[in-house]
């Protein structure tokens, strides 16, 4: 560690912190995964389960990451060493590893969105679903994908290299309002489409029958999505909160961040489904490349679809960028704090390494799945779970003390929060981890084994 005491950066304003956290939370998860999950897994019934998990699991877990970050003013490894010490330091390492691995392929997928935005401006989108799928397969892997992966990573490096105030805070001040305004604009446009009525009822009517028969798979999906969409389990919120200089009301901040994240996810459904229904495309079975296949085909069918598609994919790329910078900052903050490396060098080296690690994902979709499932369903959940056990069961007093800074006496909120972390959050994460391991095993012995055999 450094023996020179360098002044650690902080956010310039409270809004800067909130916007950065909203930017991190609103990403590919909100736009690609959320609407399709609601549509497929019971409509409003899924939505209610999801909201329950957001409040019961996501909110308490987010406050845990916030207090650990603000209390220690350190990167995740330093933070875990400071509050837990000993073996707990390894939990910090899990966060760094997760952030590293996730950004390597998140950048590949984000590169596709940039590619698809350009597609609108060049040749437009293909209306035929089979052709659209063939196009996706050819663009999603290979040189094209590697090029856009490199381009996206380069932009992330530049923003992170510029630092907290001049880089990240400035970028999110532009990006987050743009995402909100464009999303609302697209929802207004989607409202005018002829398929809107039918789409809304598909999206928003509760299918209790489906929910009651399949709750075993629907509930874990809702819980996992709640965790991922709020950027939990990777130390991103620890890192962002470590740059908080002053005492602000973290519970209020958390509620605002969650409100924005959920709002954007919900409104994205109001954008996506009217477009699909109007183009006569069945939203029930979107498959892996949903927005790049069925939605792109819908853009191919609509009047001025190239323009709508261009705006849509640009928005997705911006949302992915504001999430990606938080992932890179997790790793970069570690390199700066613990290795005493200059920020610009840290960002360049980390970004270059992440780019290289992402090349296999840009080379073959099965390799992307291999790494995505492992990071998303195992590493992320494991890191999150261990942190919740540490804070909820070992360090509740420290946590309550830290949360009360900027709020005052917490009253009944303190035990309510700690008990929410101790039981519902921990139980949900244990179940999610068990299911994640099972699913990964099935993937390794099924799809992946077949892929290996074909090579
Ligand atoms: N919350 C982002 C999304 O919904 O796409 C993904 C994400 C970003 C997860 C950053 C974790 C993280 F640290």
């Amino acid at each position: 560690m450094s023996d020179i005491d360098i002044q650690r950066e902080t956010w310039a304003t409270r809004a800067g912190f909130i916007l950065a956290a909203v930017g991190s939370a609103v990403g590919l998860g909100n736009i690609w995964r959320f609407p399709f999950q609601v549509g497929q897994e019971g409509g409003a019934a899924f939505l209610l389960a999801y909201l329950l998990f957001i409040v019961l699991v996501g909110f308490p877990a987010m406050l845990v990451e916030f207090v650990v970050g603000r209390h220690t003013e350190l990167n995740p490894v330093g933070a875990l060493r400071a509050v837990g010490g000993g073996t707990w330091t390894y939990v910090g390492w899990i966060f760094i590893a997760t952030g590293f691995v996730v950004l390597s392929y998140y950048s590949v997928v984000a590169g596709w969105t940039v590619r698809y935005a350009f597609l609108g401006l060049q040749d437009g989108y293909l209306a035929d679903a089979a052709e659209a799928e063939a196009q996706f397969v050819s663009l999603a892997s290979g040189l094209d994908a590697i090029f856009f992966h490199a381009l996206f990573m380069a932009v992330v490096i530049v923003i992170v290299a510029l630092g907290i105030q001049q880089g990240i805070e400035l970028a999110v001040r532009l990006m987050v309002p743009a995402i909100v305004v464009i999303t609302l604009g697209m929802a207004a446009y989607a409202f005018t489409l002829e398929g809107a009525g039918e789409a809304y009822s598909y999206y928003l009517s509760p299918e209790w029958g489906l929910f009651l028969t399949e709750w075993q798979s629907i509930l874990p999906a809702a819980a996992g999505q709640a965790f991922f969409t709020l950027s939990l389990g990777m130390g991103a919120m620890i890192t962002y909160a470590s740059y908080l200089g002053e005492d602000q009301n973290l519970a209020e901040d958390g509620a605002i961040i969650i409100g924005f994240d959920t709002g954007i996810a919900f409104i994205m459904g109001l954008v996506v489904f009217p477009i699909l229904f109007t183009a006569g495309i069945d939203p029930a079975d979107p498959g892996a490349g949903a927005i790049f296949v069925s939605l792109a085909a819908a853009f191919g069918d609509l009047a001025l679809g190239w323009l709508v598609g261009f705006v849509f994919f640009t928005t997705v790329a911006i949302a992915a960028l504001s999430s990606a910078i938080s992932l890179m900052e997790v790793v970069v903050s570690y390199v700066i704090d613990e290795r005493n490396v200059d920020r610009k060098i840290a960002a360049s080296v980390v970004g270059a390494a992440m780019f290289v690690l992402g090349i296999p994902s840009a080379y073959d979709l099965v390799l992307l799945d291999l790494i995505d499932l492992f990071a998303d369903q195992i590493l992320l959940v494991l890191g999150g779970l261990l942190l919740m056990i540490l804070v909820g069961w070992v360090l509740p007093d420290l946590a309550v003390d830290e949360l009360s800074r900027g709020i005052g006496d917490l009253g009944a909120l303190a035990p309510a929060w700690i008990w929410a972390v101790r039981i519902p959050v921990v139980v949900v994460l244990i179940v999610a981890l068990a299911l994640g391991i099972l699913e990964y095993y099935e993937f390794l012995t099924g799809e992946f084994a077949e892929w290996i055999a074909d090579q």
Side-chain angles (χ1 to χ4, degrees), residues 4-335:
I4 316 162
D5 197 14
I6 303 168
Q7 181 70 39
R8 192 175 162 84
E9 279 191 89
T10 56
W11 302 106
T13 58
R14 177 178 183 196
F17 165 68
I18 294 177
L19 287 172
V22 169
S24 173
V26 175
L28 296 170
N30 299 60
I31 300 168
W32 175 69
R33 254 196 335 189
F34 181 78
F36 292 98
Q37 271 186 328
V38 178
Q40 284 178 337
E41 311 218 39
F46 175 88
L47 197 61
L48 289 176
Y50 171 83
L51 289 177
L52 189 78
F53 282 120
I54 287 280
V55 174
L56 216 66
V57 176
F59 187 48
M62 181 177 275
L63 294 185
V64 166
E65 292 209 13
F66 282 170
V67 295
V68 170
R70 189 177 67 179
H71 182 76
T72 57
E73 298 185 7
L74 287 170
N75 68 92
V77 172
L80 268 289
R81 185 190 298 120
V83 297
T87 321
W88 290 109
T89 310
Y90 290 107
V91 178
W93 278 106
I94 300 180
F95 289 140
I96 306 291
T98 314
F100 198 87
V101 172
V102 170
L103 187 51
S104 76
Y105 67 82
Y106 201 82
S107 164
V108 173
V109 179
W112 299 343
T113 65
V114 179
R115 179 75 191 88
Y116 269 74
F118 280 119
L119 207 57
L121 296 183
Q122 294 167 325
D123 318 325
Y125 303 95
L126 300 171
D128 182 85
E131 286 178 23
E133 177 149 14
Q135 183 176 43
F136 171 67
V137 170
S138 88
L139 294 179
S141 334
L143 278 186
D144 229 84
I146 292 175
F147 174 77
F148 284 93
H149 164 47
L151 186 71
F152 184 82
M153 194 65 93
V155 178
V156 181
I157 292 175
V158 170
I159 295 175
V160 172
L162 288 171
I164 298 300
Q165 292 189 7
Q166 301 300 318
I168 300 181
E169 188 164 345
L170 199 65
V172 295
R173 275 178 179 278
L174 298 173
M175 289 195 282
V176 174
I179 296 168
V180 173
V181 171
I182 303 176
T183 305
L184 289 173
M186 284 194 296
Y189 155 80
F191 177 74
T192 65
L193 294 174
E194 62 180 290
E198 204 189 342
Y200 295 154
S201 68
Y202 169 82
Y203 181 43
L204 296 173
S205 55
E207 271 190 65
W208 291 110
L210 178 75
F211 190 78
L212 291 177
T213 51
E214 291 189 18
W215 61 270
Q216 301 94 325
S217 65
I218 291 177
L219 289 183
Q225 171 67 3
F227 218 69
F228 183 81
T229 188
L230 296 179
S231 297
L232 300 172
M234 293 192 211
M237 294 302 177
I238 296 182
T239 308
Y240 272 4
S242 76
Y243 297 116
L244 280 168
E246 61 196 63
D247 293 348
Q248 57 198 49
N249 186 331
L250 288 178
E252 216 173 74
D253 292 1
I256 297 172
I257 294 160
I258 289 178
F260 267 98
D261 184 70
T262 309
I264 295 283
F266 178 73
I267 296 170
M268 270 299 166
L270 301 178
V271 174
V272 167
F273 291 116
I275 292 175
L276 289 176
F277 274 84
T278 304
I281 290 171
D282 181 10
D285 182 24
I291 61 170
F292 304 102
V293 178
S294 36
L295 201 59
F299 292 138
D301 192 66
L302 292 184
L304 283 183
W306 64 270
L307 181 60
V308 185
F310 168 72
V311 173
F312 177 84
F313 284 113
T314 304
T315 314
V316 187
I318 296 173
L321 182 59
S322 63
S323 297
I325 55 181
S326 72
L327 284 170
M328 187 177 286
E329 184 59 30
V330 168
V331 186
V332 165
S333 72
Y334 160 77
V335 179

